[in-house]
């Protein structure tokens, strides 16, 4: 809880003391052409697997691209990031995650349940407060099919 409060406090202090001209920022992104959305999507795909909160990206997408285009770009970015995390976990981290789960019996139970009831568990997991990258890492390390996740 303390880290979240500290980050929120830092954001509020910065927002009050660092001037941000949203119109100028939006115009600058528009001048980039297709590089603007591409950079946004790439930033999302590179940062959210590192557990950078995605909420700020949603706000930025709406502010920079408008609600409709921002939603489209955010959806593409979220799907791409989830795919990247899933495959990183499946190919490179599966054994490490499996060994690490021995220390956390509740997460190990989720991992075993993913092997048996992938789709049902996925729907239930998406309604929990666990971060999406963590869920994707866990599901990638399980035997759940990619098409399910």
């Amino acid at each position: 809880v303390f880290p979240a409060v500290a980050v929120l406090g830092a954001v509020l202090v910065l927002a009050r003391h660092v001037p941000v001209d949203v119109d100028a920022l939006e115009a600058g992104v528009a001048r980039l052409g297709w590089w603007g959305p591409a950079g946004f999507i790439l930033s999302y795909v590179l940062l959210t697997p590192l557990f950078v909160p995605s909420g700020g990206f949603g706000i930025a997408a709406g502010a920079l691209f408008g609600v409709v285009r921002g939603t489209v770009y955010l959806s593409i970015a979220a799907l791409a990031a989830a795919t990247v995390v899933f495959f990183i976990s499946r190919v490179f981290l599966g054994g490490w995650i499996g060994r690490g789960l021995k220390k956390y019996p509740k997460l190990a139970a989720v991992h075993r349940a993913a092997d048996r009831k992938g789709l049902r568990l996925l729907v239930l997991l998406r309604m929990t407060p666990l971060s999406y990258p963590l869920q994707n890492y866990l599901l990638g390390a399980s035997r759940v099919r990619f098409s399910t996740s």
Side-chain angles (χ1 to χ4, degrees):
V1 171
F2 177 73
V5 172
V7 169
L8 180 61
V11 168
L12 292 174
V13 167
L14 286 174
R16 184 165 230 174
H17 297 291
V18 177
V20 176
D21 186 354
V22 176
D23 293 331
L25 186 60
E26 188 177 345
V29 170
R31 281 193 302 274
L32 293 173
W34 66 272
W35 285 104
F40 173 81
I41 291 168
L42 184 63
S43 297
Y44 189 103
V45 169
L46 292 176
L47 294 174
T48 57
L50 301 174
F51 298 97
V52 172
S54 60
F57 284 101
I59 294 168
L64 295 175
F65 306 112
V67 174
V68 175
R69 285 186 13 199
T71 300
V72 170
Y73 298 149
L74 187 65
S75 298
I76 292 168
L79 182 60
T83 302
V84 166
V85 168
F86 184 90
F87 282 111
I88 287 172
S89 180
R90 176 69 45 103
V91 175
F92 300 109
L93 302 177
W96 181 76
I97 290 173
R99 287 188 301 277
L101 287 174
K102 292 178 182 171
K103 298 175 191 169
Y104 302 97
K106 290 181 182 179
L107 285 178
V110 170
H111 189 260
R112 285 190 306 275
D115 290 343
R116 294 188 315 273
K117 301 187 187 291
L119 181 59
R120 182 184 296 169
L121 180 71
L122 175 70
V123 170
L124 291 173
L125 272 177
R126 293 302 189 203
M127 292 187 273
T128 68
L130 287 175
S131 70
Y132 279 8
L134 177 60
Q135 292 178 29
N136 292 329
Y137 281 119
L138 287 172
L139 290 169
S142 72
R143 289 187 292 248
V144 69
R145 293 187 333 236
F146 174 71
S147 61
T148 302
S149 65

